Amino acid sequence: MVLTDDIGWGTLGAYGGGKVVGAPTPNLDKLARDGIKFLSAYSEPSCTPTRLALLTGRQPHRTGVNVVLWPGQKQGLVAEEVTIAELLRDGGYDTAMWGKWHVGDVYDEQLPHNQGFDYAEYSPYNGAVWGWQDSADYYEKHEVLPGRAPFWLDVPQDYFERFGLEPHFIWEGRPGEKPTKVMPANCETYQDMDTRRTDAIIKYVKDHANSDNPFFIYFPSDATNSVCANNVKFRNLPHVDKANNLAVSLVEHDHNMGRLLETLKETGIAENTLVVWYSDNGPMHGFYPNTGYSHFRGGKGDVTEGGVRVPAMAWWPGMIDSAQEPIDLLHVSDIYTTLARIGGVKDNIPTDRVVDGIDQTAFLLKGEDHSRRDYIFHYSGTEIGAVRIGDLKMHYHGLAGGLPKFDLYNVKRDPREEVSSKIGIYPYLHTSVPFGQLVQVHLDQMQEFPNRKLDPKTGKEIEAERRPTSSWEVGSDRN
């Protein structure tokens, strides 16, 4: 399971980008051609929420973590959440991860080796924090090209010490042991991190190819959330936008994906290995020019299509037919339930809570028109930001004079979500009750299975929410 950072629907060559946007991706384009390329795959709007949805099959508001985590924040996965790694490990899989964890690091229970991974080499936060480590003296160490300097301004050299925070490190952890520091996570070590981690994954694959146990590898690559300077080896390749750190690091990641897929073939296990590649959200436009691109409106943090509609692919020779481009809906939480089904542990998914992920095994194996999903709730923190039903997507803004206020788009006809606000709500008034009824059922479900609630000061669980709230008006006496 490969999860990348901030790759918009339009950055990869297979999605109309590649050399066009200075980031040639021949290996990922081949992965898309040789497998199934999803045209309507959705993530959460930002990195921590998407990781929670993938690992637990639950939209993040249910887990109690509804913010992007930064150093010093105490929220994170609690022991009671059941990750896909825990399910597969208990089902006989060897489990390992390399990459960006970003779902909690303060308490032992939040760490990956205590959430189902037999081995984990992980960095706790996103690529931004890598730059905080040494941006203060970066200009003294390196020749700086336009657009290649650290993004952050005025970060004190003693930032972590001054504010009582743990400096950013790459860690290594195993169950039953205290994690150990591997190396500082800074702009120096960032340069070839994706390559070094791919080296370790390739070794793991070779060591386990003939094992009696199947394996599950989670590779949430740090590479493409790139505010540090980029790898010189890939910066100077043809057609690469060398001043764009994300473009350069994506080219490096593309190279490493080619190496990884070739290893699966060389070891003779390609036909017995499912590879899923997914982006965690749309491009981070605030990092311009170190950023990706989307054909859609918006980006990271938005519930418009540019923020949540992302490139995603699956490859499984002999099982998934090649050259598929289905338009059916897929949500990142579906990966949890689907991997559990394929791994033979679906019956062990907890039944005492809501799991949002839908089993999409038939979609993987049979292709277009076999998705079992026809609606998606797009959350922005604790609030419902938008709802999609079929081809229609509503952004709701409350009531005015007794009439609902909303923007509603047919995203097949208008995938950039630009027309509705110009024509007004009246052509779509007939949708307000069906959408409201779906939201009502959703909120009623939370009454029966309340969201987990964590104290932001301590990160510990407190009394569950009994009255979930939303800005959506779904009845005469209730929000």
Side-chain angles (χ1 to χ4, degrees):
M1 179 66 226
V2 184
L3 187 68
T4 56
D5 254 1
D6 302 355
I7 302 300
W9 205 110
T11 301
L12 302 182
Y15 285 83
K19 287 189 287 186
V20 174
V21 296
T25 52
N27 293 295
L28 289 170
D29 298 346
K30 187 175 187 304
L31 173 65
R33 289 194 304 271
D34 291 347
I36 185 169
K37 179 180 80 174
F38 301 104
L39 299 180
S40 300
Y42 286 86
S43 66
E44 295 293 317
S46 54
C47 30
T48 296
T50 289
R51 282 158 174 75
L52 291 165
L54 172 64
L55 288 166
T56 69
R58 286 152 55 79
Q59 290 199 274
H61 61 278
R62 301 193 193 277
T63 72
V65 186
N66 46 53
V67 295
V68 175
L69 297 178
W70 300 101
Q73 289 180 286
K74 294 182 171 60
Q75 301 100 310
L77 276 177
V78 300
E80 290 74 20
E81 293 291 344
V82 179
T83 70
I84 184 60
E86 289 177 296
L87 289 177
L88 291 171
R89 184 190 60 190
D90 293 346
Y93 277 71
D94 295 328
T95 59
M97 76 153 284
W98 285 264
K100 171 183 162 183
W101 182 235
H102 210 187
V103 290
D105 71 305
V106 173
Y107 300 114
D108 287 346
E109 69 183 45
Q110 298 170 342
L111 301 177
H113 53 281
N114 295 321
Q115 289 284 352
F117 291 100
D118 299 321
Y119 173 82
E121 187 204 278
Y122 62 97
S123 38
Y125 305 105
N126 69 16
V129 183
W130 296 64
W132 298 358
Q133 294 278 83
D134 59 359
S135 63
D137 60 356
Y138 191 86
Y139 290 88
E140 299 176 9
K141 292 183 179 180
H142 300 282
E143 175 189 358
V144 177
L145 296 178
R148 286 189 54 229
F151 177 82
W152 306 105
L153 297 175
D154 303 324
V155 178
Q157 287 183 308
D158 63 347
Y159 171 81
F160 290 92
E161 179 182 2
R162 179 183 299 188
F163 296 105
L165 303 173
E166 173 71 36
H168 194 27
F169 282 92
I170 299 165
W171 297 82
E172 186 176 71
R174 294 176 176 83
E177 300 178 8
K178 285 289 184 181
T180 58
K181 295 175 182 177
V182 176
M183 64 180 71
N186 56 32
C187 284
E188 290 282 351
T189 58
Y190 202 106
Q191 303 307 302
D192 61 352
M193 180 55 59
D194 194 78
T195 296
R196 280 188 275 131
R197 283 177 167 159
T198 304
D199 290 343
I201 292 171
I202 287 174
K203 183 179 184 303
Y204 185 93
V205 169
K206 290 179 176 178
D207 290 346
H208 288 75
N210 296 317
S211 171
D212 291 336
N213 294 339
F215 62 77
F216 170 62
I217 294 173
Y218 177 43
F219 183 23
S221 173
D222 280 283
T224 54
N225 187 331
S226 187
V227 293
C228 288
N230 44 52
N231 191 319
V232 64
K233 175 181 176 182
F234 297 93
R235 185 173 74 230
N236 294 318
L237 292 177
H239 311 295
V240 176
D241 181 3
K242 65 173 62 180
N244 184 339
N245 293 336
L246 184 139
V248 176
S249 56
L250 176 58
V251 170
E252 178 183 7
H253 175 71
D254 177 82
H255 170 74
N256 289 325
M257 283 301 301
R259 297 169 57 214
L260 181 55
L261 295 176
E262 192 59 35
T263 299
L264 295 175
K265 297 173 185 175
E266 290 173 354
T267 54
I269 61 172
E271 292 186 353
N272 199 35
T273 306
L274 168 64
V275 176
V276 179
W277 188 98
Y278 219 108
S279 176
D280 70 343
N281 46 248
M284 182 62 172
H285 294 308
F287 284 171
Y288 185 86
N290 297 314
T291 189
Y293 174 78
S294 176
H295 295 316
F296 305 123
R297 183 166 64 92
K300 184 171 185 171
D302 299 323
V303 296
T304 50
E305 295 291 279
V308 292
R309 193 170 182 172
V310 295
M313 300 165 284
W315 179 85
W316 191 356
M319 296 294 289
I320 293 177
D321 290 338
S322 62
Q324 296 187 76
E325 297 185 351
I327 195 68
D328 309 47
L329 295 183
L330 177 73
H331 187 262
V332 65
S333 62
D334 299 344
I335 301 299
Y336 175 92
T337 312
T338 306
L339 295 186
R341 168 71 179 276
I342 292 172
V345 292
K346 186 181 176 185
D347 290 345
N348 296 333
I349 292 176
T351 57
D352 63 345
R353 66 201 67 183
V354 174
V355 174
D356 298 285
I358 293 172
D359 179 6
Q360 297 280 32
T361 305
F363 187 18
L364 284 185
L365 300 182
K366 294 187 176 182
E368 194 156 55
D369 299 328
H370 285 87
S371 172
R372 299 178 60 238
R373 177 176 290 280
D374 59 5
Y375 67 87
I376 297 176
F377 286 96
H378 297 290
Y379 265 81
S380 181
T382 59
E383 298 291 320
I384 301 172
V387 177
R388 177 170 175 176
I389 304 176
D391 292 331
L392 300 181
K393 183 177 176 185
M394 179 183 285
H395 300 253
Y396 189 75
H397 308 297
L399 293 172
L403 285 172
K405 294 175 62 180
F406 58 82
D407 297 323
L408 193 139
Y409 306 92
N410 183 318
V411 291
K412 176 180 287 186
R413 185 178 304 135
D414 178 24
R416 284 186 53 83
E417 296 167 287
E418 293 179 327
V419 176
S420 176
S421 59
K422 298 176 182 177
I423 64 175
I425 67 170
Y426 295 105
Y428 289 115
L429 277 175
H430 63 285
T431 66
S432 61
V433 170
F435 272 86
Q437 289 175 336
L438 180 63
V439 172
Q440 182 72 68
V441 172
H442 181 71
L443 297 181
D444 285 346
Q445 190 183 48
M446 285 189 212
Q447 294 282 55
E448 183 177 359
F449 299 98
N451 296 335
R452 198 179 300 282
K453 192 171 184 181
L454 305 181
D455 186 335
K457 295 181 180 179
T458 66
K460 296 297 185 179
E461 189 166 5
I462 56 180
E463 183 179 357
E465 294 175 326
R466 294 292 168 180
R467 290 283 291 181
T469 61
S470 172
S471 59
W472 290 66
E473 182 74 25
V474 294
S476 59
D477 62 349
R478 172 174 168 196
N479 289 330

